[in-house]
Amino acid sequence: MPTVSVIVPIYNAGKKLHKCIKSILNQTFNDFELILVNDGSKDKSLDICKRYEKIDRRIMVIDKFNEGSIATRKKGIEASIGKYVMFVDADDWVDSKIIELLYNEVIENNLDIAVCNSYRVLGNGVFIKREVNNKYFKGENIYHKSEIKSHLITAYFHGHPFPSSLSAKLYKKDLFLGVGKYLSKIHFLGDDLFCNLEILLKTNTLKMIDKPLYYYRQGGFTSKYQPYLFEDMVNGYLIQKEVIDDYYEDTEEKSYNGISIMLLNTLKTCLSNLFNSKLTKLEVKALIESYTLNETVVNCTSNGGASRYFPSEFLLAIRNKDVEFLYKLGQDMYRRARPRKILINVLSQVC
């Protein structure tokens, strides 16, 4: 029975999938299974998976209809038999020692989770920078339950500087038992964050290792319209509010400030996102008006932290349902960001 299960959710990864799979098969730690879960890809991803399955007995391929990343990861977990699990996204790749180093840390320190640092890359790694350089990695600290609750989880209420991705981590598989309370409320945005949020609430020990062992490939879907973005944004806020009400009554006001600021920042992203669509001008304005009618959004404009953080013109535009102001704001943000997004997407296509 393998000790570690590596799960790769796949949707239209194409040729990039080769680099991902090869990096996992090339591990210095051999006691693992590789579960490739094809989420209804329309390209040659499934063929690539089956080709590798034929040449390496550690590989299992699961093919299913398209359901999204949440259901795809869940399917991989259900099929896994390792005591520990690791996730790798299909267009990313990993260092040859990632499993060995994280597993050794878990065993030596009796950890529930080991977290390594990452690189952000463009294309095939021509442009690389270290992803995280913050206090959580300094000193390679071991966090215990009370510290996880007071330092790591609360970071998610203020822009999540603690790594929110499911990748670049080795988990005890048992942590995923019963997880899904929050994930059931969202479509896509923040799926990693809300899964980790639920897991961290029951984690006893976690260690941060300041070795960049994971290569996260930027680009991909940055210029595509996301129709569920607004709904996920609001539901994400409500999830965090629920956690604050249940576990952080003593720091409620500060935490509310953080999640209110995040929601309104994401609202700006929602406004810009509308211009990635093929919606007519009237349809875009109708959606913006619906945003201003949302009670959760309106309430956040009166939050003390948000009032200090945002220009009054932006907050008043929401309260006064000034669709023209918000339309222009979204359009300007879209136009400013478009050249950079185009460049990143072009570079990201380099395999």
Side-chain angles (χ1 to χ4, degrees):
M1 179 182 295
T3 303
V4 175
S5 297
V6 182
I7 299 168
V8 180
I10 300 162
Y11 180 72
N12 290 350
K15 294 180 180 179
K16 295 174 184 176
L17 188 54
H18 288 291
K19 190 175 184 72
C20 175
I21 294 174
K22 287 177 181 178
S23 73
I24 298 168
L25 296 179
N26 194 38
Q27 290 296 300
T28 55
F29 182 97
N30 291 313
D31 188 17
F32 70 89
E33 63 174 346
L34 174 55
I35 302 175
L36 305 173
V37 190
N38 181 52
D39 186 33
S41 296
K42 297 177 182 179
D43 62 0
K44 299 293 184 180
S45 292
L46 181 59
D47 293 338
I48 293 171
C49 291
K50 289 182 176 179
R51 198 182 314 162
Y52 282 99
E53 185 181 32
K54 290 179 180 178
I55 62 176
D56 197 306
R57 60 181 178 79
R58 296 172 296 180
I59 295 178
M60 174 197 305
V61 176
I62 299 173
D63 183 32
K64 66 180 189 63
F65 62 90
N66 181 251
E67 298 174 283
S69 59
I70 295 172
T72 303
R73 289 193 183 105
K74 183 179 179 182
K75 185 73 71 174
I77 292 170
E78 291 171 347
S80 66
I81 57 177
K83 184 177 180 180
Y84 300 92
V85 295
M86 174 183 291
F87 297 95
V88 180
D89 288 342
D91 50 357
D92 299 339
W93 68 94
V94 293
D95 186 278
S96 62
K97 292 186 177 181
I98 187 170
I99 301 179
E100 177 188 358
L101 294 177
L102 293 185
Y103 178 75
N104 287 344
E105 291 285 356
V106 164
I107 298 304
E108 291 171 10
N109 297 291
N110 192 27
L111 305 175
D112 289 332
I113 307 173
V115 185
C116 68
N117 211 326
S118 302
Y119 284 117
R120 287 186 179 270
V121 304
L122 282 173
N124 204 26
V126 177
F127 303 98
I128 299 179
K129 70 174 183 178
R130 181 174 289 202
E131 181 182 12
V132 178
N133 183 23
N134 63 33
K135 62 182 180 181
Y136 300 106
F137 281 110
K138 291 177 181 177
E140 299 195 350
N141 295 319
I142 295 178
Y143 292 86
H144 298 282
K145 194 170 188 67
S146 62
E147 297 165 313
I148 292 169
K149 181 177 182 290
S150 61
H151 296 303
L152 303 188
I153 295 174
T154 55
Y156 289 158
F157 305 148
H158 304 278
H160 49 80
F162 173 74
S164 60
S165 173
L166 285 170
S167 59
K169 297 176 177 69
L170 183 67
Y171 299 87
K172 276 188 178 177
K173 180 184 173 181
D174 288 350
L175 292 170
F176 288 90
L177 296 177
V179 167
K181 176 182 178 182
Y182 304 138
L183 290 177
S184 63
K185 301 176 182 179
I186 60 172
H187 296 277
F188 174 77
L189 178 69
D191 55 337
D192 283 24
L193 187 155
F194 296 119
C195 185
N196 269 318
L197 181 58
E198 193 170 354
I199 285 172
L200 289 177
L201 285 168
K202 59 183 190 177
T203 297
N204 291 311
T205 51
L206 176 152
K207 184 174 181 180
M208 310 289 292
I209 298 127
D210 193 19
K211 292 184 177 67
L213 303 170
Y214 189 97
Y215 294 82
Y216 167 72
R217 196 191 296 256
Q218 292 183 273
F221 297 97
T222 53
S223 294
K224 292 191 176 180
Y225 174 56
Q226 301 173 57
Y228 296 115
L229 185 59
F230 180 80
E231 183 181 347
D232 279 352
M233 175 196 79
V234 172
N235 286 337
Y237 169 88
L238 295 174
I239 291 168
Q240 291 180 304
K241 186 176 183 297
E242 179 183 340
V243 172
I244 292 167
D245 292 343
D246 289 344
Y247 298 96
Y248 294 93
E249 187 176 352
D250 54 335
T251 58
E252 192 174 79
E253 182 178 352
K254 181 180 179 182
S255 298
Y256 281 169
N257 288 345
I259 64 173
S260 297
I261 290 170
M262 281 198 296
L263 180 138
L264 293 175
N265 265 329
T266 310
L267 176 62
K268 289 184 175 183
T269 305
C270 289
L271 296 173
S272 176
N273 174 59
L274 291 171
F275 293 90
N276 284 320
S277 72
K278 295 181 179 179
L279 298 170
T280 67
K281 187 174 184 178
L282 286 176
E283 289 171 329
V284 168
K285 288 186 174 182
L287 281 172
I288 292 174
E289 184 177 14
S290 72
Y291 297 169
T292 66
L293 294 172
N294 184 276
E295 184 179 355
T296 299
V297 172
V298 174
N299 288 341
C300 282
T301 65
S302 299
N303 170 268
S307 297
R308 293 186 293 272
Y309 185 88
F310 292 101
S312 59
E313 293 84 359
F314 173 59
L315 301 178
L316 286 171
I318 297 170
R319 292 179 202 144
N320 296 334
K321 301 173 180 51
D322 188 345
V323 173
E324 293 299 328
F325 178 95
L326 297 172
Y327 180 93
K328 186 175 186 305
L329 175 64
Q331 188 178 54
D332 289 346
M333 290 178 61
Y334 168 79
R335 287 173 175 170
R336 288 196 302 270
R338 184 166 171 75
R340 181 175 181 273
K341 287 184 176 182
I342 291 174
L343 176 62
I344 287 176
N345 278 329
V346 169
L347 292 174
S348 73
Q349 299 307 309
V350 181
C351 297

